[in-house]
Amino acid sequence: MKLFPLFAATLLLGAPACAQSPAGAPPAVAEPRGVVSAAHPLAAEAGREMLRQGGSAADAELAMMLALTVVEPQSSGIGGGGFFVYQPAKGKLVTIDGRETAPKAATPARFLDASGKPRARFQAIPGGLSVGVPGNIALMAMAHKRFGKLPWKALFQPAIKLAEEGYPVSAPMARGMGYVSQAWQDFPAISALYAPGGKPLAAGQMVKNPALALTLRRIAAIGPDAFYKGENAQAIVSAVNGAKRNPADMTLADIAGYQAKERTPICGSYRGYKICGMGPPSSGAVTVLQILGMLERFDLKALGPANPRSWHLIAEAMQLAYADRELYLGDPDFVTMPLKGMVDKAYLAQRSALIDPAKARGTYEAGTPPGAAPRSPGVSSEVSGTTHFVAIDRAGNVATMTSTVEGPFGSQLLASGYVLNNELTDFTFAPEVNGAPVANRVEGGKRPLSSMSPTIVYDAKGAPVFTVGAAGGKTIIMQVAKALIAHLDWGMSARESIGLGLVYFGGNGIILERGTVLEPMKPALEALGHRVSVAELGLKANAAERTASGWVGAADPRSIGVALGE
C-alpha cells in the first residue's frame, strides 16, 4: 500500500496554508439583511441565492451543503454527515445530529488485526470498512421540515446546475487529489471522474458530474427516500461491500434505518456571554467550554494576543481538556457520560488550578468530574478534512453547520456520483485498555466521536452575536476556542479571530502554526517548559458576527472561502 505513509504524514500536518489572505480575497461583508459564509465561493453563491428567493437561514445552509457536495468533494457532501445548529429569531436553539452510523454488523474488533492489535489507521481508511451510513440527507430533511421556507426542490437547483454544467477544480481540491490519487488504481469510479486518463485534474480544469446531478434530481423530486431506499441505497451497499480494498458489511436495512436526531444543546458561560454548541457525539461544545472555563480566571485581555504567556495558558487548558475528551466522550446512545460534571464550574476550577502561569505542566491526565464512571482513555484520530458554513437571514435566524466525509475524498469510494465517507476510522480502534472499556470504541449502529464544533454565542440579553465553526480534524475544537478568545477577550473581528494563528499539540509537545504571529514565540514558550514545534496545520474556519450595521460574515483568510451579503 503505497499511498498511506505519505497520506498519514500529509494529514497530520493538514493541507498547506498561507498565513496571509490570498490575493484579491474579498473582505468580510456587512449586511442589514442576510449573510452567508462558506469555504467555497460557489457554495456561498448557492446560499445567497436562497436568501434572495426569500428563503430562511436553514434553506441557505442546506443549499450550501448540497453545493459543497459538488464543488468540494474532498471535504464533505451527502455521502457524509454533519451537525446542524439553528437559532430561530424567536424560539429555542435546536441542534440536529446527522453523524454517520456503523453498520449493525460492526463489532469492537472491526479495526483490529489478526493478532488483536489495532491496525494502522491509514490501512483502514481506503475502501468499505471505514464507511458509515451517511446522515446529511436525513439531517437536511429534518431541518427543512422544521425551518425551511422554500420548496424542498428549490434547495437542490444550484447544486444540480453545478454538477450538470461543470465547475473549475479549486486549488484545495487539486491539492487533495495530489495526496490520495496514487491509490486510485484500486478505485476506478473516482479515478474516472477526477483523474481521467490516470492523471488527476489540475486546478482550473472544468469537471462535470452527471451521475451526481441525476442523484440530486431524484432526491429533489422524491425526497429523502430516494437516498435511503431503492437504487441509491443499493449503490452504497455495492460500493462498500464490493470494494477492492477492505470490503465491508453494510446492508440495505442499515441505510433504510438511519435517523437524524435532535440532541440537547450543550451551553455554558464565558465572560458574561452564553456559548452553545453541539452535544455528543460531537465533542466540540464540551471541550470548548472546558478550555474556556479553565481560562476564565486569567486576565487574557490584559495579557493580549502578542504575549507568549497567553498562549502558554491556552496550551495548558487545551491539553487538560483534550485529556477529558479522550476518556469520557462518545455516542450518547451507547455511552453514559458525565456531561454536566465536565462543564461544572467547580470542577473546571479544580482543573484550572493545575495550570501554573509560569511553567508548563508537562503531563496532562484526565480528571474525575462529578458523575464519572471508570473508563480507559482511547485516543481517536480525525484528519484535516471537513467544511463549515453559516447563514443568517433577514429575520435574524442563525444557522451554522459543519459537514464532512472525513479525510480527503473520504474512503475513496463513489456511489451515485458522490464520495462516501471514511468516518468509522474516527472510532478508537482499541475497544478496551487495561480491562476497562473505551467510550469511543466501535459498535454496531453507533456514531463515532467527532470534533466538529458549530457554535453560537449570545450576549447578556440572550441575543445571538457571533457564530463560528471550522474544518481540520481534531484542531477544530482549538480553532473555535481560539476564535472565541480572540473575539471576546481581544476584541478582534470575526475575520481576524478565525485568521489568527493557532496553538495545537502533538508529539509530546505543542505545535505553533507556521507563518503566523505565534511562530516567533517559540523560544519564549520553550523557556516556560514546553516542547515546541512549528508546522502548517491546514486550518479553515467560517464565522459571522452581529454589528451595529448588521451581521458581518467572514471566511478564513487561509482558504478560498468568501462571505456574501444578500
Side-chain angles (χ1 to χ4, degrees):
M1 186 177 297
K2 297 180 180 179
L3 163 66
F4 287 95
L6 171 62
F7 192 20
T10 301
L11 295 179
L12 286 171
L13 298 180
C18 57
Q20 304 300 321
S21 176
V29 177
E31 286 291 319
R33 289 190 172 184
V35 67
V36 297
S37 176
H40 195 292
L42 294 174
E45 287 283 1
R48 177 163 69 174
E49 184 178 333
M50 298 301 105
L51 294 181
R52 287 179 170 176
Q53 291 179 24
S56 67
D59 293 324
E61 196 80 346
L62 299 171
M64 289 192 285
M65 183 274 289
L66 295 170
L68 288 162
T69 303
V70 183
V71 301
E72 204 184 45
Q74 75 278 10
S75 296
S76 70
I78 62 173
F83 297 128
F84 179 89
V85 176
Y86 198 77
Q87 177 57 63
K90 296 180 180 179
K92 294 182 178 180
L93 177 68
V94 173
T95 62
I96 300 176
D97 169 9
R99 185 68 162 157
E100 303 86 341
T101 56
K104 292 293 185 184
T107 72
R110 189 176 190 84
F111 296 115
L112 302 181
D113 62 21
S115 66
K117 295 181 180 179
R119 296 175 60 180
R121 174 175 170 78
F122 298 101
Q123 292 177 352
I125 287 176
L129 202 64
S130 65
V131 180
V133 178
N136 268 341
I137 288 296
L139 178 158
M140 179 180 177
M142 180 179 285
H144 181 260
K145 183 178 181 180
R146 292 281 300 275
F147 305 114
K149 290 178 63 180
L150 297 177
W152 171 262
K153 290 182 180 180
L155 278 54
F156 289 79
Q157 300 315 305
I160 291 170
K161 183 177 180 181
L162 288 166
E164 288 183 339
E165 298 183 4
Y167 63 94
V169 172
S170 68
M173 181 178 169
R175 192 159 57 235
M177 287 189 282
Y179 297 149
V180 298
S181 59
Q182 61 266 45
W184 284 357
Q185 69 272 12
D186 292 333
F187 301 96
I190 198 168
S191 181
L193 180 59
Y194 297 124
K199 183 178 181 181
L201 296 170
Q205 287 188 270
M206 296 296 292
V207 58
K208 298 180 180 181
N209 193 338
L212 177 54
L214 179 59
T215 299
L216 295 172
R217 284 193 178 279
R218 287 174 175 164
I219 303 169
I222 298 171
D225 278 356
F227 186 90
Y228 291 100
K229 298 178 182 179
E231 184 177 332
N232 183 71
Q234 184 59 60
I236 296 173
V237 168
S238 296
V240 169
N241 298 351
K244 184 173 180 179
R245 293 195 194 178
N246 295 323
D249 45 16
M250 191 173 288
T251 68
L252 293 174
D254 288 325
I255 300 170
Y258 183 86
Q259 293 183 335
K261 296 188 177 186
E262 184 175 336
R263 302 287 190 185
T264 301
I266 299 290
C267 296
S269 64
Y270 182 69
R271 313 290 193 204
Y273 293 89
K274 181 181 179 182
I275 298 172
C276 294
M278 195 78 210
S282 168
S283 62
V286 173
T287 312
V288 167
L289 288 171
Q290 282 201 315
I291 293 167
L292 297 179
M294 284 184 252
L295 291 170
E296 196 160 17
R297 73 181 176 97
F298 300 104
D299 192 350
L300 292 179
K301 181 178 181 179
L303 288 171
N307 191 326
R309 289 191 181 271
S310 293
W311 298 98
H312 160 67
L313 296 172
I314 293 169
E316 294 291 278
M318 165 185 69
Q319 292 173 94
L320 289 168
Y322 272 80
D324 274 7
R325 174 198 185 274
E326 305 294 359
L327 186 61
Y328 294 115
L329 298 181
D331 183 340
D333 297 331
F334 287 76
V335 180
T336 299
M337 293 167 283
L339 297 179
K340 290 183 179 180
M342 291 178 75
V343 296
D344 177 76
K345 290 291 187 181
Y347 173 67
L348 292 178
Q350 294 174 11
R351 298 290 279 167
S352 180
L354 299 175
I355 300 174
D356 183 340
K359 184 179 179 181
R361 183 171 178 81
T363 59
Y364 306 89
E365 297 179 350
T368 307
R375 292 281 178 198
S376 286
V379 177
S380 63
S381 298
E382 297 172 55
V383 297
S384 300
T386 312
T387 197
H388 187 81
F389 38 104
V390 301
I392 297 95
D393 62 31
R394 64 187 70 175
N397 301 302
V398 179
T400 187
M401 180 177 176
T402 313
S403 173
T404 187
V405 291
E406 178 61 342
F409 297 94
S411 63
Q412 317 306 306
L413 295 172
L414 285 189
S416 305
Y418 55 85
V419 171
L420 290 173
N421 67 85
N422 68 287
E423 294 299 342
L424 300 191
T425 50
D426 279 355
F427 282 117
T428 302
F429 287 12
E432 61 179 46
V433 177
N434 297 325
V438 171
N440 190 41
R441 64 179 181 174
V442 184
E443 295 177 80
K446 191 176 183 180
R447 302 173 191 226
L449 188 65
S450 171
S451 294
M452 295 187 288
S453 309
T455 301
I456 298 178
V457 179
Y458 303 81
D459 65 15
K461 296 180 179 179
V465 295
F466 188 71
T467 181
V468 64
K474 288 170 71 174
T475 70
I476 290 172
I477 293 166
M478 271 310 299
Q479 290 183 69
V480 169
K482 178 265 300 180
L484 294 173
I485 292 165
H487 187 64
L488 302 178
D489 283 302
W490 298 331
M492 295 185 179
S493 70
R495 183 173 169 84
E496 291 169 335
S497 297
I498 59 179
L500 185 64
L502 190 75
V503 61
Y504 191 56
F505 68 102
N508 297 318
I510 61 172
I511 305 169
L512 307 180
E513 185 182 1
R514 188 184 306 281
T516 69
V517 294
L518 273 74
E519 186 172 357
M521 299 183 192
K522 184 175 184 290
L525 289 166
E526 288 174 334
L528 289 168
H530 293 280
R531 294 180 60 183
V532 184
S533 60
V534 176
E536 292 172 337
L537 293 173
L539 311 180
K540 185 177 68 176
N542 292 79
E545 64 180 313
R546 197 184 71 190
T547 71
S549 59
W551 279 90
V552 176
D556 200 314
R558 304 170 185 83
S559 77
I560 64 169
V562 297
L564 300 174
E566 181 186 348

